[in-house]
Coordinates of all heavy atoms in Angstrom, one line a residue:
M1 N -72.2 -45.4 27.4 CA -72.0 -44.0 27.0 C -73.3 -43.2 27.3 O -74.3 -43.4 26.7 CB -71.6 -43.9 25.5 CG -70.3 -43.2 25.3 SD -69.8 -43.2 23.6 CE -70.4 -41.5 23.2
T2 N -73.1 -42.2 28.2 CA -74.3 -41.4 28.5 C -74.3 -40.0 27.7 O -75.3 -39.5 27.3 CB -74.3 -41.0 30.0 OG1 -73.0 -40.5 30.3 CG2 -74.7 -42.1 30.9
E3 N -73.1 -39.6 27.4 CA -72.9 -38.3 26.7 C -72.6 -38.5 25.2 O -71.7 -39.3 24.9 CB -71.8 -37.5 27.3 CG -71.9 -36.0 27.0 CD -70.7 -35.3 27.6 OE1 -70.0 -35.8 28.5 OE2 -70.4 -34.2 27.1
K4 N -73.3 -37.9 24.3 CA -73.1 -38.1 22.9 C -72.3 -36.9 22.4 O -72.6 -35.8 22.5 CB -74.4 -38.2 22.2 CG -74.2 -38.8 20.8 CD -75.6 -39.1 20.2 CE -75.4 -39.4 18.7 NZ -76.0 -38.5 17.8
K5 N -71.1 -37.3 21.9 CA -70.2 -36.2 21.4 C -70.2 -36.2 19.9 O -70.2 -37.3 19.3 CB -68.8 -36.4 21.9 CG -68.7 -36.0 23.4 CD -67.2 -36.1 23.9 CE -67.1 -35.5 25.2 NZ -65.9 -35.8 25.9
E6 N -70.1 -35.0 19.4 CA -70.0 -34.9 17.9 C -68.6 -34.8 17.5 O -67.9 -33.9 17.9 CB -70.8 -33.6 17.5 CG -71.0 -33.6 16.0 CD -71.7 -32.3 15.5 OE1 -72.3 -31.6 16.4 OE2 -71.7 -32.1 14.3
I7 N -68.1 -35.8 16.8 CA -66.7 -35.8 16.4 C -66.6 -35.2 15.0 O -67.3 -35.6 14.1 CB -66.2 -37.3 16.4 CG1 -66.4 -38.0 17.7 CG2 -64.7 -37.3 16.0 CD1 -65.6 -37.3 18.9
I8 N -65.7 -34.3 14.9 CA -65.5 -33.7 13.6 C -64.0 -33.7 13.2 O -63.1 -33.8 14.0 CB -66.0 -32.2 13.6 CG1 -65.3 -31.4 14.7 CG2 -67.5 -32.2 13.7 CD1 -65.5 -29.9 14.6
I9 N -63.8 -33.5 11.9 CA -62.4 -33.2 11.4 C -62.3 -31.8 11.0 O -63.2 -31.3 10.4 CB -62.0 -34.2 10.3 CG1 -60.6 -33.9 9.8 CG2 -62.9 -34.2 9.1 CD1 -59.9 -35.0 9.1
K10 N -61.2 -31.2 11.4 CA -61.2 -29.7 11.2 C -59.8 -29.3 10.9 O -58.8 -29.8 11.4 CB -61.6 -29.1 12.6 CG -61.7 -27.7 12.5 CD -62.4 -27.1 13.7 CE -62.4 -25.6 13.7 NZ -63.1 -25.1 12.5
N11 N -59.7 -28.3 10.0 CA -58.4 -27.7 9.7 C -58.3 -26.4 10.5 O -58.9 -25.4 10.1 CB -58.3 -27.4 8.2 CG -57.0 -26.7 7.8 OD1 -56.1 -26.5 8.6 ND2 -56.9 -26.3 6.6
Y12 N -57.6 -26.4 11.6 CA -57.4 -25.2 12.4 C -56.9 -24.0 11.7 O -57.1 -22.9 12.1 CB -56.6 -25.5 13.7 CG -57.3 -26.2 14.8 CD1 -57.1 -27.5 15.1 CD2 -58.3 -25.5 15.5 CE1 -57.8 -28.1 16.2 CE2 -59.0 -26.1 16.5 CZ -58.7 -27.4 16.9 OH -59.4 -28.0 17.9
M13 N -56.0 -24.3 10.7 CA -55.4 -23.2 10.1 C -56.4 -22.3 9.5 O -56.2 -21.1 9.4 CB -54.4 -23.8 9.0 CG -53.4 -22.8 8.4 SD -52.5 -21.9 9.7 CE -51.1 -23.0 10.0
E14 N -57.6 -22.8 9.0 CA -58.6 -21.9 8.4 C -59.1 -20.9 9.5 O -59.3 -19.7 9.1 CB -59.8 -22.8 8.0 CG -59.6 -23.6 6.7 CD -60.8 -24.3 6.2 OE1 -61.9 -24.0 6.7 OE2 -60.6 -25.2 5.4
D15 N -59.3 -21.4 10.7 CA -59.8 -20.4 11.7 C -58.8 -19.4 12.1 O -59.1 -18.2 12.3 CB -60.2 -21.2 13.0 CG -61.5 -22.0 12.8 OD1 -61.9 -22.3 11.6 OD2 -62.1 -22.4 13.8
I16 N -57.6 -19.8 12.2 CA -56.5 -18.9 12.6 C -56.3 -17.9 11.5 O -56.2 -16.7 11.7 CB -55.1 -19.7 12.8 CG1 -55.3 -20.7 13.9 CG2 -54.0 -18.7 13.1 CD1 -54.1 -21.7 14.0
V17 N -56.3 -18.3 10.2 CA -56.2 -17.4 9.1 C -57.4 -16.4 9.0 O -57.2 -15.2 8.9 CB -56.0 -18.1 7.7 CG1 -56.1 -17.2 6.5 CG2 -54.6 -18.8 7.7
R18 N -58.6 -16.9 9.2 CA -59.8 -16.1 9.1 C -59.7 -15.0 10.1 O -60.0 -13.8 9.8 CB -61.0 -16.9 9.2 CG -62.3 -16.2 9.4 CD -63.4 -16.3 8.3 NE -63.5 -17.4 7.5 CZ -63.8 -17.3 6.1 NH1 -63.9 -16.1 5.6 NH2 -63.9 -18.4 5.4
K19 N -59.3 -15.3 11.3 CA -59.3 -14.4 12.4 C -58.2 -13.3 12.2 O -58.4 -12.1 12.3 CB -59.0 -15.1 13.7 CG -59.2 -14.3 15.0 CD -59.1 -15.1 16.2 CE -58.9 -14.1 17.4 NZ -58.2 -14.8 18.5
N20 N -57.0 -13.8 11.8 CA -55.9 -12.9 11.5 C -56.2 -12.0 10.4 O -55.9 -10.8 10.5 CB -54.6 -13.8 11.2 CG -53.4 -13.1 11.2 OD1 -53.2 -12.2 10.3 ND2 -52.5 -13.4 12.1
L21 N -56.8 -12.5 9.4 CA -57.2 -11.7 8.2 C -58.1 -10.6 8.6 O -58.0 -9.4 8.2 CB -57.8 -12.7 7.2 CG -58.6 -12.1 6.0 CD1 -57.6 -11.5 5.0 CD2 -59.3 -13.3 5.3
N22 N -59.2 -10.9 9.4 CA -60.1 -9.9 9.8 C -59.4 -8.8 10.6 O -59.7 -7.6 10.4 CB -61.3 -10.5 10.6 CG -62.2 -11.2 9.7 OD1 -62.4 -10.9 8.5 ND2 -62.9 -12.3 10.2
E23 N -58.5 -9.2 11.5 CA -57.8 -8.2 12.3 C -56.9 -7.3 11.4 O -56.9 -6.1 11.6 CB -56.9 -8.9 13.3 CG -57.7 -9.5 14.5 CD -56.9 -10.4 15.4 OE1 -55.7 -10.6 15.1 OE2 -57.5 -11.0 16.3
Q24 N -56.3 -7.9 10.4 CA -55.4 -7.1 9.6 C -56.2 -6.1 8.7 O -55.8 -5.0 8.4 CB -54.5 -8.0 8.7 CG -53.5 -8.7 9.5 CD -52.2 -9.1 8.7 OE1 -51.7 -8.3 8.0 NE2 -51.8 -10.3 8.8
L25 N -57.4 -6.6 8.2 CA -58.2 -5.8 7.3 C -58.8 -4.6 8.1 O -59.0 -3.6 7.5 CB -59.3 -6.7 6.7 CG -58.9 -7.6 5.5 CD1 -60.1 -8.3 5.0 CD2 -58.1 -6.9 4.4
E26 N -59.1 -4.8 9.3 CA -59.6 -3.7 10.1 C -58.7 -2.5 10.2 O -59.1 -1.4 10.3 CB -59.9 -4.2 11.5 CG -61.3 -4.6 11.8 CD -61.6 -5.1 13.2 OE1 -61.0 -4.5 14.1 OE2 -62.3 -6.1 13.3
K27 N -57.4 -2.8 10.1 CA -56.4 -1.7 10.3 C -56.1 -1.0 9.0 O -55.4 -0.1 8.9 CB -55.1 -2.3 10.8 CG -55.2 -2.9 12.2 CD -53.8 -3.4 12.6 CE -53.9 -4.6 13.6 NZ -52.7 -5.5 13.4
R28 N -56.7 -1.6 7.9 CA -56.3 -1.0 6.6 C -57.5 -0.2 6.0 O -58.6 -0.7 6.0 CB -55.9 -2.1 5.6 CG -54.9 -3.1 6.1 CD -53.5 -2.6 5.9 NE -53.2 -2.4 4.5 CZ -52.2 -3.1 3.9 NH1 -51.6 -4.1 4.5 NH2 -51.9 -2.8 2.6
D29 N -57.2 0.9 5.3 CA -58.3 1.5 4.6 C -57.9 1.7 3.1 O -58.5 2.5 2.4 CB -58.8 2.8 5.2 CG -57.6 3.8 5.4 OD1 -56.5 3.5 4.9 OD2 -57.8 4.7 6.2
D30 N -56.8 1.0 2.7 CA -56.3 1.2 1.3 C -56.7 0.0 0.4 O -56.2 -0.2 -0.7 CB -54.8 1.3 1.3 CG -54.1 0.2 2.0 OD1 -54.7 -0.5 2.9 OD2 -53.0 -0.1 1.6
L31 N -57.6 -0.9 0.9 CA -57.9 -2.1 0.1 C -59.4 -2.3 -0.1 O -60.2 -1.8 0.8 CB -57.4 -3.3 0.8 CG -56.3 -3.4 1.7 CD1 -56.6 -4.5 2.7 CD2 -55.1 -3.8 0.9
C32 N -59.8 -3.0 -1.1 CA -61.2 -3.4 -1.2 C -61.5 -4.6 -0.3 O -60.6 -5.5 -0.2 CB -61.4 -3.9 -2.7 SG -63.1 -4.5 -2.9
K33 N -62.6 -4.5 0.4 CA -62.9 -5.6 1.4 C -64.2 -6.3 1.0 O -64.9 -6.8 1.8 CB -63.0 -5.0 2.8 CG -61.7 -4.3 3.3 CD -61.9 -3.6 4.6 CE -60.6 -2.9 5.0 NZ -60.8 -2.1 6.2
C34 N -64.5 -6.4 -0.3 CA -65.7 -7.1 -0.7 C -65.4 -8.6 -0.5 O -64.3 -9.1 -0.3 CB -66.0 -6.8 -2.2 SG -64.9 -7.6 -3.4
E35 N -66.5 -9.4 -0.7 CA -66.4 -10.9 -0.4 C -65.4 -11.5 -1.4 O -64.6 -12.4 -0.9 CB -67.8 -11.5 -0.7 CG -68.7 -11.4 0.5 CD -68.1 -11.9 1.9 OE1 -67.8 -13.1 2.0 OE2 -67.9 -11.0 2.7
L36 N -65.4 -11.1 -2.6 CA -64.4 -11.7 -3.6 C -63.0 -11.5 -3.2 O -62.2 -12.4 -3.1 CB -64.7 -11.1 -5.0 CG -63.8 -11.6 -6.1 CD1 -64.0 -13.2 -6.3 CD2 -64.1 -10.9 -7.4
C37 N -62.6 -10.2 -2.9 CA -61.3 -9.9 -2.5 C -60.9 -10.6 -1.2 O -59.8 -11.1 -1.0 CB -61.1 -8.4 -2.4 SG -61.1 -7.6 -4.0
K38 N -61.8 -10.5 -0.2 CA -61.5 -11.2 1.1 C -61.3 -12.7 0.9 O -60.4 -13.2 1.5 CB -62.7 -10.9 2.0 CG -62.4 -9.9 3.0 CD -63.7 -9.4 3.8 CE -63.9 -10.3 5.0 NZ -65.0 -9.7 5.9
N39 N -62.1 -13.3 0.1 CA -61.9 -14.8 -0.1 C -60.7 -15.1 -0.9 O -60.1 -16.1 -0.7 CB -63.2 -15.4 -0.7 CG -64.3 -15.6 0.3 OD1 -64.0 -16.0 1.4 ND2 -65.5 -15.2 0.0
D40 N -60.3 -14.2 -1.8 CA -59.1 -14.3 -2.6 C -57.9 -14.3 -1.6 O -57.0 -15.1 -1.7 CB -58.9 -13.3 -3.6 CG -59.6 -13.7 -4.9 OD1 -59.9 -14.8 -5.1 OD2 -59.7 -12.8 -5.8
I41 N -57.9 -13.4 -0.7 CA -56.8 -13.2 0.3 C -56.8 -14.5 1.2 O -55.8 -15.0 1.5 CB -57.1 -12.0 1.2 CG1 -57.0 -10.7 0.3 CG2 -56.0 -11.9 2.4 CD1 -57.5 -9.4 1.0
F42 N -58.0 -14.9 1.6 CA -58.1 -16.1 2.4 C -57.5 -17.4 1.8 O -56.7 -18.1 2.3 CB -59.6 -16.3 2.8 CG -59.9 -17.4 3.8 CD1 -59.3 -17.5 5.0 CD2 -60.9 -18.3 3.5 CE1 -59.6 -18.4 5.9 CE2 -61.2 -19.3 4.4 CZ -60.6 -19.4 5.6
A43 N -57.9 -17.6 0.5 CA -57.4 -18.7 -0.2 C -55.9 -18.7 -0.5 O -55.2 -19.7 -0.3 CB -58.2 -18.8 -1.6
Y44 N -55.5 -17.5 -0.9 CA -54.0 -17.3 -1.2 C -53.2 -17.6 0.1 O -52.2 -18.3 0.1 CB -53.8 -15.9 -1.6 CG -52.4 -15.6 -2.0 CD1 -52.0 -15.6 -3.4 CD2 -51.4 -15.3 -1.1 CE1 -50.7 -15.4 -3.8 CE2 -50.1 -15.0 -1.5 CZ -49.7 -15.1 -2.8 OH -48.4 -14.8 -3.2
S45 N -53.7 -17.1 1.2 CA -53.0 -17.4 2.5 C -52.9 -18.8 2.8 O -51.9 -19.4 3.2 CB -53.7 -16.6 3.7 OG -53.8 -15.3 3.4
L46 N -54.1 -19.5 2.7 CA -54.2 -20.9 3.1 C -53.3 -21.8 2.1 O -52.7 -22.8 2.6 CB -55.6 -21.4 3.0 CG -56.5 -21.0 4.2 CD1 -57.9 -21.5 3.9 CD2 -56.0 -21.7 5.5
N47 N -53.2 -21.4 0.9 CA -52.3 -22.1 0.0 C -50.8 -22.0 0.3 O -50.0 -22.8 -0.2 CB -52.5 -21.6 -1.5 CG -53.8 -22.2 -2.1 OD1 -54.3 -23.3 -1.6 ND2 -54.3 -21.6 -3.1
H48 N -50.5 -21.0 1.1 CA -49.1 -20.8 1.5 C -48.8 -21.2 2.9 O -47.7 -21.0 3.4 CB -48.7 -19.4 1.2 CG -48.6 -19.1 -0.2 ND1 -49.8 -18.7 -1.0 CD2 -47.6 -19.1 -1.1 CE1 -49.4 -18.5 -2.2 NE2 -48.1 -18.7 -2.4
L49 N -49.8 -21.9 3.6 CA -49.6 -22.3 5.0 C -49.9 -23.8 5.1 O -50.7 -24.3 4.4 CB -50.5 -21.5 5.9 CG -50.1 -20.0 6.1 CD1 -51.3 -19.2 6.6 CD2 -48.9 -19.9 7.1
P50 N -49.2 -24.5 6.0 CA -49.5 -25.9 6.1 C -50.9 -26.1 6.8 O -51.2 -25.4 7.7 CB -48.4 -26.4 7.0 CG -48.0 -25.2 7.8 CD -48.2 -24.0 6.9
P51 N -51.7 -27.0 6.3 CA -52.9 -27.3 6.9 C -52.7 -28.0 8.3 O -51.6 -28.7 8.5 CB -53.7 -28.3 6.0 CG -52.6 -28.9 5.2 CD -51.5 -27.9 5.1
K52 N -53.6 -27.8 9.2 CA -53.4 -28.4 10.6 C -54.7 -29.1 10.9 O -55.6 -28.6 11.6 CB -53.2 -27.3 11.6 CG -51.8 -26.6 11.5 CD -50.7 -27.6 11.8 CE -49.3 -27.1 11.3 NZ -48.3 -28.1 11.3
Y53 N -54.8 -30.3 10.4 CA -56.1 -31.1 10.6 C -56.0 -31.8 11.9 O -55.0 -32.4 12.3 CB -56.2 -32.1 9.5 CG -56.7 -31.5 8.2 CD1 -55.9 -31.3 7.1 CD2 -58.0 -31.1 8.1 CE1 -56.3 -30.7 5.9 CE2 -58.5 -30.5 6.9 CZ -57.7 -30.4 5.8 OH -58.1 -29.8 4.7
V54 N -57.1 -31.8 12.6 CA -57.3 -32.5 13.8 C -58.7 -33.2 13.8 O -59.6 -32.6 13.3 CB -57.1 -31.7 15.1 CG1 -55.7 -31.3 15.3 CG2 -58.0 -30.5 15.0
V55 N -58.7 -34.3 14.5 CA -60.0 -35.0 14.8 C -60.3 -34.7 16.2 O -59.5 -34.9 17.1 CB -60.0 -36.5 14.5 CG1 -61.3 -37.1 14.9 CG2 -59.6 -36.7 13.1
T56 N -61.5 -34.1 16.5 CA -61.8 -33.7 17.8 C -63.3 -33.6 18.1 O -64.1 -33.8 17.1 CB -61.2 -32.2 18.1 OG1 -61.4 -31.9 19.4 CG2 -61.9 -31.2 17.2
D57 N -63.7 -33.4 19.3 CA -65.1 -33.2 19.5 C -65.3 -31.7 19.7 O -64.3 -31.0 20.0 CB -65.7 -34.0 20.7 CG -65.1 -33.5 22.0 OD1 -65.5 -32.5 22.6 OD2 -64.1 -34.2 22.4
K58 N -66.5 -31.2 19.4 CA -66.7 -29.7 19.3 C -66.2 -29.0 20.6 O -65.8 -27.9 20.5 CB -68.1 -29.4 19.0 CG -68.4 -29.6 17.5 CD -69.8 -29.0 17.2 CE -69.9 -28.7 15.7 NZ -71.3 -28.2 15.3
G59 N -66.4 -29.6 21.7 CA -66.1 -28.9 22.9 C -64.6 -28.5 23.1 O -64.3 -27.6 23.8
H60 N -63.7 -29.3 22.4 CA -62.3 -29.0 22.6 C -61.7 -28.0 21.6 O -60.6 -27.7 21.7 CB -61.5 -30.3 22.5 CG -61.6 -31.1 23.8 ND1 -62.2 -32.3 23.8 CD2 -61.2 -30.8 25.0 CE1 -62.1 -32.8 25.0 NE2 -61.6 -31.9 25.8
I61 N -62.5 -27.5 20.7 CA -62.0 -26.7 19.6 C -61.3 -25.4 20.1 O -60.2 -25.1 19.7 CB -63.1 -26.3 18.6 CG1 -63.5 -27.5 17.8 CG2 -62.7 -25.2 17.7 CD1 -64.5 -27.3 16.8
Y62 N -62.0 -24.7 21.1 CA -61.5 -23.4 21.4 C -60.2 -23.4 22.2 O -59.3 -22.6 21.8 CB -62.6 -22.6 22.0 CG -63.7 -22.4 21.0 CD1 -64.8 -23.2 21.0 CD2 -63.5 -21.5 19.9 CE1 -65.8 -23.0 20.0 CE2 -64.4 -21.4 18.9 CZ -65.6 -22.2 18.9 OH -66.5 -22.0 17.9
T63 N -60.0 -24.2 23.1 CA -58.7 -24.3 23.8 C -57.6 -24.6 22.9 O -56.5 -24.0 22.9 CB -58.7 -25.4 24.9 OG1 -59.8 -26.3 24.7 CG2 -58.6 -24.8 26.3
K64 N -57.8 -25.6 22.0 CA -56.8 -26.0 21.1 C -56.5 -24.9 20.1 O -55.4 -24.7 19.7 CB -57.4 -27.3 20.3 CG -56.3 -28.0 19.5 CD -55.4 -28.8 20.4 CE -54.3 -29.4 19.5 NZ -53.1 -29.7 20.2
L65 N -57.5 -24.2 19.7 CA -57.4 -23.1 18.7 C -56.4 -22.0 19.3 O -55.5 -21.5 18.6 CB -58.7 -22.5 18.4 CG -58.7 -21.4 17.2 CD1 -58.2 -22.1 16.0 CD2 -60.1 -20.9 17.1
Q66 N -56.6 -21.7 20.5 CA -55.7 -20.7 21.2 C -54.3 -21.1 21.2 O -53.4 -20.3 20.9 CB -56.2 -20.4 22.6 CG -57.4 -19.5 22.6 CD -57.8 -19.1 24.1 OE1 -57.7 -19.9 25.0 NE2 -58.3 -17.9 24.2
E67 N -54.0 -22.4 21.5 CA -52.7 -22.9 21.5 C -52.0 -22.8 20.1 O -50.9 -22.4 19.9 CB -52.7 -24.4 21.8 CG -52.6 -24.8 23.2 CD -52.9 -26.3 23.4 OE1 -52.3 -27.1 22.5 OE2 -53.6 -26.7 24.3
M68 N -52.8 -23.2 19.1 CA -52.3 -23.2 17.7 C -52.1 -21.8 17.2 O -51.2 -21.5 16.5 CB -53.4 -23.9 16.8 CG -53.6 -25.3 17.1 SD -53.1 -26.3 15.6 CE -53.5 -27.9 16.2
E69 N -53.0 -20.9 17.6 CA -52.9 -19.5 17.3 C -51.5 -18.9 17.8 O -50.8 -18.3 17.1 CB -54.0 -18.7 17.8 CG -54.4 -17.5 17.0 CD -55.5 -16.7 17.7 OE1 -56.3 -17.2 18.5 OE2 -55.5 -15.5 17.4
F70 N -51.3 -19.2 19.0 CA -50.0 -18.8 19.6 C -48.8 -19.3 18.9 O -47.8 -18.6 18.6 CB -50.0 -19.3 21.1 CG -48.8 -18.8 21.9 CD1 -48.8 -17.5 22.3 CD2 -47.8 -19.7 22.2 CE1 -47.7 -17.0 23.0 CE2 -46.7 -19.2 23.0 CZ -46.6 -17.9 23.3
Q71 N -48.9 -20.6 18.5 CA -47.8 -21.2 17.8 C -47.6 -20.7 16.4 O -46.4 -20.6 16.0 CB -48.1 -22.7 17.8 CG -46.9 -23.6 17.6 CD -47.3 -25.1 17.6 OE1 -48.4 -25.5 18.1 NE2 -46.5 -25.9 17.0
F72 N -48.6 -20.4 15.7 CA -48.5 -20.1 14.3 C -48.8 -18.7 13.9 O -48.6 -18.4 12.7 CB -49.5 -21.0 13.5 CG -49.1 -22.5 13.6 CD1 -49.9 -23.4 14.3 CD2 -48.0 -23.0 13.0 CE1 -49.6 -24.7 14.4 CE2 -47.6 -24.3 13.1 CZ -48.4 -25.2 13.8
N73 N -49.1 -17.8 14.8 CA -49.6 -16.5 14.4 C -48.6 -15.7 13.7 O -48.9 -14.9 12.8 CB -50.1 -15.7 15.7 CG -51.4 -15.0 15.4 OD1 -52.0 -15.2 14.3 ND2 -51.7 -14.1 16.2
A74 N -47.3 -15.8 14.0 CA -46.3 -15.0 13.2 C -46.2 -15.4 11.8 O -46.2 -14.5 10.9 CB -44.9 -15.2 13.9
D75 N -46.3 -16.7 11.5 CA -46.3 -17.2 10.1 C -47.5 -16.7 9.4 O -47.5 -16.3 8.2 CB -46.3 -18.7 10.0 CG -44.9 -19.3 10.5 OD1 -44.0 -18.5 10.6 OD2 -44.9 -20.5 10.9
V76 N -48.7 -16.9 10.1 CA -50.0 -16.5 9.5 C -50.0 -15.0 9.1 O -50.4 -14.6 8.1 CB -51.1 -16.9 10.4 CG1 -52.4 -16.4 9.9 CG2 -51.2 -18.4 10.6
T77 N -49.5 -14.2 10.1 CA -49.5 -12.8 9.8 C -48.7 -12.4 8.6 O -49.1 -11.6 7.7 CB -48.9 -12.0 11.0 OG1 -49.7 -12.3 12.2 CG2 -48.9 -10.5 10.8
R78 N -47.5 -13.1 8.5 CA -46.7 -12.9 7.3 C -47.4 -13.2 6.0 O -47.3 -12.5 5.0 CB -45.3 -13.6 7.5 CG -44.2 -13.2 6.5 CD -43.0 -14.1 6.7 NE -43.4 -15.5 6.4 CZ -43.1 -16.5 7.2 NH1 -42.4 -16.3 8.4 NH2 -43.5 -17.7 6.9
E79 N -48.0 -14.4 6.0 CA -48.6 -14.9 4.8 C -49.9 -14.1 4.4 O -50.1 -13.8 3.2 CB -49.0 -16.4 4.9 CG -47.8 -17.3 4.9 CD -46.8 -17.1 3.7 OE1 -47.3 -16.8 2.6 OE2 -45.6 -17.3 3.9
V80 N -50.6 -13.7 5.4 CA -51.8 -12.8 5.1 C -51.4 -11.5 4.5 O -52.0 -11.0 3.6 CB -52.7 -12.7 6.4 CG1 -53.8 -11.6 6.2 CG2 -53.3 -14.0 6.8
L81 N -50.3 -10.9 5.1 CA -49.8 -9.7 4.6 C -49.4 -9.8 3.1 O -49.7 -9.0 2.3 CB -48.6 -9.3 5.4 CG -48.2 -7.8 5.4 CD1 -49.3 -6.9 5.8 CD2 -47.0 -7.6 6.3
K82 N -48.7 -10.9 2.8 CA -48.3 -11.2 1.4 C -49.6 -11.3 0.5 O -49.6 -10.8 -0.6 CB -47.5 -12.5 1.3 CG -46.1 -12.3 1.6 CD -45.3 -13.6 1.0 CE -44.3 -14.1 2.1 NZ -43.9 -15.4 1.8
A83 N -50.6 -12.0 1.0 CA -51.8 -12.3 0.3 C -52.5 -10.9 0.0 O -53.1 -10.7 -1.1 CB -52.7 -13.2 1.1
I84 N -52.6 -10.1 1.0 CA -53.2 -8.8 0.9 C -52.5 -8.0 -0.3 O -53.2 -7.4 -1.2 CB -53.2 -7.9 2.2 CG1 -54.1 -8.5 3.2 CG2 -53.5 -6.5 1.9 CD1 -54.1 -7.9 4.6
E85 N -51.2 -8.0 -0.3 CA -50.5 -7.2 -1.3 C -50.7 -7.8 -2.7 O -50.9 -7.1 -3.7 CB -49.0 -7.2 -1.0 CG -48.6 -6.4 0.2 CD -49.3 -5.0 0.3 OE1 -49.3 -4.3 -0.7 OE2 -49.8 -4.7 1.4
F86 N -50.8 -9.2 -2.8 CA -51.0 -9.9 -4.0 C -52.4 -9.5 -4.6 O -52.5 -9.2 -5.7 CB -50.9 -11.4 -3.9 CG -51.1 -12.2 -5.1 CD1 -50.1 -12.3 -6.1 CD2 -52.4 -12.7 -5.3 CE1 -50.4 -13.0 -7.2 CE2 -52.7 -13.4 -6.5 CZ -51.7 -13.6 -7.5
V87 N -53.4 -9.6 -3.7 CA -54.8 -9.4 -4.2 C -55.0 -7.9 -4.5 O -55.7 -7.6 -5.5 CB -55.8 -9.9 -3.1 CG1 -57.2 -9.5 -3.5 CG2 -55.7 -11.4 -3.0
K88 N -54.3 -7.1 -3.8 CA -54.4 -5.6 -4.1 C -53.9 -5.3 -5.5 O -54.5 -4.6 -6.3 CB -53.6 -4.9 -3.1 CG -53.8 -3.4 -3.0 CD -52.9 -2.8 -1.9 CE -52.8 -1.3 -2.1 NZ -51.8 -0.8 -1.2
K89 N -52.8 -6.0 -5.9 CA -52.2 -5.8 -7.2 C -53.0 -6.6 -8.3 O -52.8 -6.3 -9.5 CB -50.8 -6.2 -7.2 CG -49.9 -5.3 -6.6 CD -48.4 -5.7 -6.7 CE -47.5 -5.1 -5.7 NZ -46.7 -6.1 -4.9
N90 N -53.7 -7.6 -7.9 CA -54.4 -8.5 -8.9 C -55.9 -8.6 -8.7 O -56.5 -9.6 -8.7 CB -53.8 -9.9 -8.8 CG -52.3 -9.9 -9.1 OD1 -51.9 -10.0 -10.3 ND2 -51.5 -9.9 -8.1
K91 N -56.5 -7.4 -8.4 CA -57.9 -7.4 -8.2 C -58.7 -7.9 -9.4 O -58.4 -7.6 -10.5 CB -58.3 -5.9 -7.9 CG -59.5 -5.9 -7.0 CD -59.7 -4.5 -6.4 CE -59.7 -3.4 -7.4 NZ -60.4 -2.2 -7.0
R92 N -59.7 -8.8 -9.1 CA -60.4 -9.5 -10.2 C -61.7 -8.8 -10.6 O -62.5 -9.4 -11.2 CB -60.7 -10.9 -9.7 CG -59.4 -11.7 -9.6 CD -59.7 -13.2 -9.7 NE -60.3 -13.7 -8.5 CZ -61.2 -14.7 -8.5 NH1 -61.7 -15.2 -9.6 NH2 -61.6 -15.2 -7.3
H93 N -61.9 -7.5 -10.2 CA -63.1 -6.8 -10.6 C -62.7 -5.3 -10.7 O -61.6 -4.9 -10.3 CB -64.2 -7.0 -9.6 CG -63.9 -6.6 -8.2 ND1 -63.9 -5.2 -7.9 CD2 -63.5 -7.2 -7.1 CE1 -63.5 -5.1 -6.6 NE2 -63.3 -6.3 -6.1
E94 N -63.6 -4.6 -11.3 CA -63.3 -3.1 -11.4 C -63.7 -2.4 -10.1 O -64.6 -2.8 -9.4 CB -64.2 -2.5 -12.6 CG -63.6 -3.0 -13.9 CD -62.1 -2.8 -14.0 OE1 -61.6 -1.7 -13.7 OE2 -61.4 -3.7 -14.4
Ligands
ZN101 ZN1 -63.1 -6.4 -4.1

């Protein structure tokens, strides 16, 4: 073996949700976008979506991520939207 590859285990759903969430938040000005609320939205979305774990080397992440994004983006958009509404109604700070 000449090339050393770093093998990792990864939940692609996290990256897809994070990206989708940032895109949706950019379009809204009716919500709090602090770290707490953003992470609440992130966690709520992930709890309502199936995890997509893969074992891969770092070089392959991005092509695979695009495929998965294409496949799951409609579901992710729906869940992120629900999460936004939930957190908006259940804000944990003043
Ligand atoms: Zn907030």
